[in-house]
Amino acid sequence: MSALAVLLPRQPAAVGSEWGAARMPSALRSRKTIAALAILGAVWTAAAWAAAPVDRPSVLALAVKWAPLIFGGFLFNLLVSVAAMALGTAAGVLLGLAQISLLRPVQAASWAVTQFFRNAPWLVLLFFAMFLLPFEWRIGGVTVPFPAWLKAMLGLALPVLANVSEIVRGGVLSIPLGQWESAESLAFSRRQILWRIILPQAVKRMIPPWMNLYAILTMATTLISVVGIQDAMTLTRGALVAEARTDLYLPLYFMLLLMFFAYCYPIARYTQVLERRFAVRG
Amino acid sequence: MNPGHVLGAPIVVLNRVEKRFGDNPVLRDVSFSVARGECVCVIGPSGSGKSTLLRAINALVPISAGSIAVDGIEVNDPKLDKLALRRRVGIVFQQYNLFPHKTALDNVMMAPIHVLKENPAEVEARARALIAKVRLTGKEAAYPGELSGGQQQRVAIARALAMNPKVMLFDEVTAALDPETKKEVLVTVRELAAEGMTCLLVTHEMGFAREVADHVYFTEDGVIVEHGPPAEFFGSPKQARTRAFLDQVL
Ligand SMILES: Nc1ncnc2c1ncn2[C@@H]1O[C@H](COP(=O)(O)OP(=O)(O)O)[C@@H](O)[C@H]1O
Ligand SMILES: [Mg+2]
C-alpha cells in the first residue's frame, strides 16, 4: 500500500501548479515515456516466454484468454471513478463555496470537514464507508438493498469531495482582490460578484487540478478490491489463482497497468496542456 | 484652476475621520469637503493614507471614528444603503481591475444591467457613447488583455461613469502607466472635470493637479498638512513638510 503516498500528492491548494511543468519539450517527453513502457513490456513478455515450458499454453495465449474479463473489470473501475467523481464534485463544490462563506460557523464547519477528509488515507475512508453504512435501507415498509459497490463509490467520493472543496476555495482565492473591490464599488452584491465575476474566472484555474484529481481517483479505484469488490484488480488476481502459473504474474499485472495507463496518461497530458495555456495567459 | 466654473454646495463632507488598521493609525482627524462640480486633488507620499481615504468614501473600508457624508448619505451608518451610495460614487483604481473575462463593452454594461436592472438596449447605447467619449471607439469587442494599460484605464473610467455617478474618485489612475499612455487618461479626466463632474483624485502628477484642481490637499502620515488653491499651494507653500515634498517630486 505504499502506492498511497503517490496517490495523495500534497497539491498546492491554489492552482496553475508548476510541479508538472515541462522541462523537456512535451512531444519528446511523451514519446520517451511511451518508448520506455514499450521496452519494459517487451522485455517482460520475452522473459516470461523464454521461461514458459513447451507443454503448457504460452503466457501470451493465457493473457489473451483473460484479457476480456479483466477489461470488463477495468470498465467497472471506470464506472466507479466517474460516479465517485460526479458525486464528490457536486458535494465538493458546495463545501468549497461554504468555505468562503462570510458566516463564521458555516466557514469553520466546512473547513473542518474538508481538512478531515483531505488528510485521511483513502483506504481508511473506504473501510469507514463500507462498515459504517448499512447493507440495506428501510424506507417506510420497503427494504432497499445498499450494495457494496455503491458504498465503495461513496467511500471514494469522500476524499474527492474534500479535494474538490480545496480546489474551489483555492481557485476563488487565486482571483486578485481588486476584482472583488471593483465589483463591490459598482454595487454588485456578494452573490453577484461570486457568480458573475469571480467564479467564471476561477473555473478556468480549477479545471487542471480537478482533472488531475480525477486521474488520481481512477487509479485509486483499484483500492475497492481490498474491500472485496469484483473490480479489475480482483479479477486479475482471480485469473492468476485459477491458472496457478507464476510466470503469468508480471504479464497480467502489466496488462492491467497498461489499461490504466492508456486511460490516465492522456488525461494527465491534457491537464498539462491546460496548465501551460493558463500560465501563458497569466 | 478652472475659471468660469461655478462650485455648488458640498457633496462630499468628511468630519474628523479616523481610521486605524489594528494599532496603525492611517487617517487622523481628517476633515474636508468637496463641492458639487469641484475638482480636488490629494497629494502626498505613499503610505500616507490616500487610498484608504478614497475607499472609506465609497464604504470599501469602514472608518473607526468621525463621519463621512456623500450627497446626504451617511457612509458610516450601520444601516447604510450601499447601493444608493455606490450609484452616486464611481471609483477608478490604479490597477484598472477590469473584468478580464468580459469585453470592454460588457465591462461597461454589466453593472447598469445587473445592479440597476436597466433595459439592456438603453444600457448598450449609453455604454457605446461612453466608450466613444473615452476615445475607444472600435475597441468595444476587445478583451482587457488585448488593450494597453491606458486603454484599460479608460474603459475603467467608462465603466464607472455608466452608473451615472455624482462623484468620481480616482486613485493614482496613471501611476502604472508609461508617460505616453498617461496623457490619454489625463485628457479624459480633465474633460470630465471641465464638464463639471465632481472629482476627487489622488495623483502624483503635479503638473496635472496644478492645471486641473480647484483645491489641493497635501497629506502625510494620515493628516492633512496643508491645503489651498493650486496657485497658492504650489506657488508659496507655507509648511516645511509641504516644501520638502514638493522639492522632492517637482
Ligand atoms: N487592508 C489593510 N490592512 C492593514 N493595513 C493597511 C490596509 N490597507 C492599507 N493599510 C496601511 O495603511 C497605510 C496607508 O495605506 P494607503 O491608504 O494605501 O496609503 P497611500 O494610498 O497613501 O499610499 C499603509 O501603512 C498601509 O500599510
Ligand atoms: Mg495608494
Side-chain angles (χ1 to χ4, degrees):
Chain A
M1 281 304 126
S2 65
L4 276 177
V6 183
L7 290 176
L8 282 167
R10 276 308 187 143
Q11 305 183 40
V15 275
S17 55
E18 311 86 46
W19 46 283
R23 295 268 147 61
M24 252 187 273
S26 56
L28 183 65
R29 204 156 43 102
S30 98
R31 226 173 290 150
K32 272 194 176 168
T33 314
I34 288 166
L37 267 173
I39 291 168
L40 198 65
V43 168
W44 272 356
T45 312
W49 226 318
V54 255
D55 57 330
R56 291 198 290 173
S58 75
V59 163
L60 194 64
L62 288 176
V64 170
K65 174 183 158 197
W66 289 103
L69 184 76
I70 294 174
F71 187 69
F74 171 70
L75 291 182
F76 177 72
N77 283 67
L78 295 192
L79 180 73
V80 170
S81 75
V82 169
M85 194 67 189
L87 194 71
T89 300
V93 166
L94 294 179
L95 195 62
L97 291 177
Q99 278 205 86
I100 52 168
S101 163
L102 287 182
L103 300 171
R104 289 296 301 177
V106 173
Q107 194 201 337
S110 53
W111 176 84
V113 170
T114 301
Q115 292 307 318
F116 180 78
F117 288 118
R118 215 165 100 83
N119 292 286
W122 291 30
L123 187 59
V124 178
L125 288 180
L126 198 55
F127 272 90
F128 180 78
M130 298 308 290
F131 296 115
L132 210 74
L133 297 170
F135 65 93
E136 57 184 29
W137 294 105
R138 244 173 257 273
I139 303 165
V142 199
T143 305
V144 183
F146 198 31
W149 66 267
L150 201 58
K151 290 201 266 182
M153 189 203 79
L154 288 174
L156 285 176
L158 290 177
V160 171
L161 151 165
N163 281 281
V164 169
S165 171
E166 275 305 273
I167 289 170
V168 168
R169 191 185 71 103
V172 167
L173 293 185
S174 74
I175 303 301
L177 281 179
Q179 293 287 311
W180 286 91
E181 202 171 38
S182 63
E184 234 181 299
S185 78
L186 291 165
F188 284 101
S189 67
R190 191 179 159 84
R191 169 175 291 211
Q192 285 176 320
I193 296 174
L194 204 55
W195 289 98
R196 294 193 180 280
I197 292 152
I198 305 299
L199 286 177
Q201 298 178 57
V203 162
K204 261 184 248 162
R205 304 183 182 200
M206 294 176 196
I207 286 173
W210 179 80
M211 284 171 47
N212 197 28
L213 178 65
Y214 176 64
I216 291 167
L217 168 69
T218 304
M219 295 181 273
T221 54
T222 50
L223 291 174
I224 64 178
S225 67
V226 180
V227 293
I229 292 164
Q230 297 274 315
D231 79 325
M233 188 76 185
T234 313
L235 291 172
T236 305
R237 217 183 291 132
L240 290 170
V241 169
E243 295 291 346
R245 290 251 312 249
T246 48
D247 58 344
L248 200 57
Y249 271 62
L250 287 180
L252 275 202
Y253 278 123
F254 188 70
M255 188 168 73
L256 183 59
L257 279 178
L258 276 185
M259 289 178 192
F260 277 97
F261 181 84
Y263 186 75
C264 293
Y265 186 70
I267 296 176
R269 297 287 310 157
Y270 189 57
T271 305
Q272 282 176 7
V273 169
L274 288 181
E275 268 173 2
R276 221 167 300 139
R277 196 180 297 167
F278 173 68
V280 169
R281 291 224 183 111
Chain B
M1 277 268 255
N2 282 320
H5 183 136
V6 186
L7 302 183
I11 182 165
V12 179
V13 181
L14 281 79
N15 190 20
R16 312 209 61 171
V17 172
E18 308 266 341
K19 173 65 188 177
R20 283 178 303 275
F21 285 112
D23 290 340
N24 179 16
V26 174
L27 296 175
R28 293 186 284 180
D29 199 14
V30 172
S31 302
F32 72 89
S33 63
V34 182
R36 236 174 258 274
E38 194 179 17
C39 178
V40 168
C41 284
V42 179
I43 62 173
S46 78
S48 59
K50 306 179 299 296
S51 297
T52 306
L53 181 71
L54 294 195
R55 283 170 167 74
I57 293 171
N58 205 12
L60 291 171
V61 294
I63 56 175
S64 312
S67 74
I68 300 176
V70 176
D71 201 21
I73 298 173
E74 266 307 320
V75 176
N76 208 19
D77 185 342
K79 292 196 298 282
L80 167 70
D81 177 354
K82 285 193 177 165
L83 174 60
L85 172 70
R86 286 172 179 161
R87 58 188 298 174
R88 284 172 174 75
V89 182
I91 183 164
V92 184
F93 302 93
Q94 180 177 337
Q95 291 304 333
Y96 341 127
N97 297 344
L98 291 182
F99 306 132
H101 60 302
K102 296 282 180 184
T103 62
L105 186 65
D106 283 341
N107 263 277
V108 179
M109 290 174 60
M110 264 183 102
I113 289 179
H114 299 299
V115 175
L116 304 180
K117 316 279 184 209
E118 290 179 345
N119 176 313
E122 283 167 23
V123 172
E124 183 173 341
R126 194 165 85 225
R128 286 186 185 281
L130 284 169
I131 285 181
K133 182 187 172 76
V134 298
R135 297 188 172 79
L136 285 173
T137 305
K139 297 289 183 190
E140 290 85 354
Y143 283 89
E146 300 162 352
L147 298 173
S148 74
Q151 292 172 331
Q152 290 188 56
Q153 195 58 292
R154 284 179 283 154
V155 174
I157 294 173
R159 181 175 71 172
L161 290 173
M163 297 288 277
N164 287 323
K166 297 188 170 175
V167 182
M168 284 287 285
L169 311 177
F170 297 88
D171 190 1
E172 298 193 36
V173 290
T174 57
L177 303 176
D178 55 62
E180 275 311 301
T181 47
K182 245 177 209 169
K183 241 193 292 175
E184 311 166 345
V185 173
L186 292 178
V187 164
T188 302
V189 177
R190 187 197 290 127
E191 279 176 3
L192 274 177
E195 284 168 14
M197 171 63 79
T198 309
C199 297
L200 176 54
L201 59 116
V202 170
T203 185
H204 284 303
E205 301 295 316
M206 297 303 148
F208 182 79
R210 186 175 217 150
E211 177 200 347
V212 176
D214 295 302
H215 211 86
V216 179
Y217 287 83
F218 172 62
T219 59
E220 195 174 59
D221 294 332
V223 293
I224 296 173
V225 175
E226 180 167 358
H227 65 97
E232 241 172 74
F233 179 89
F234 290 104
S236 51
K238 291 177 193 65
Q239 302 290 328
R241 286 157 82 188
T242 316
R243 280 197 297 271
F245 178 75
L246 289 177
D247 283 347
Q248 215 175 30
V249 294
L250 285 177

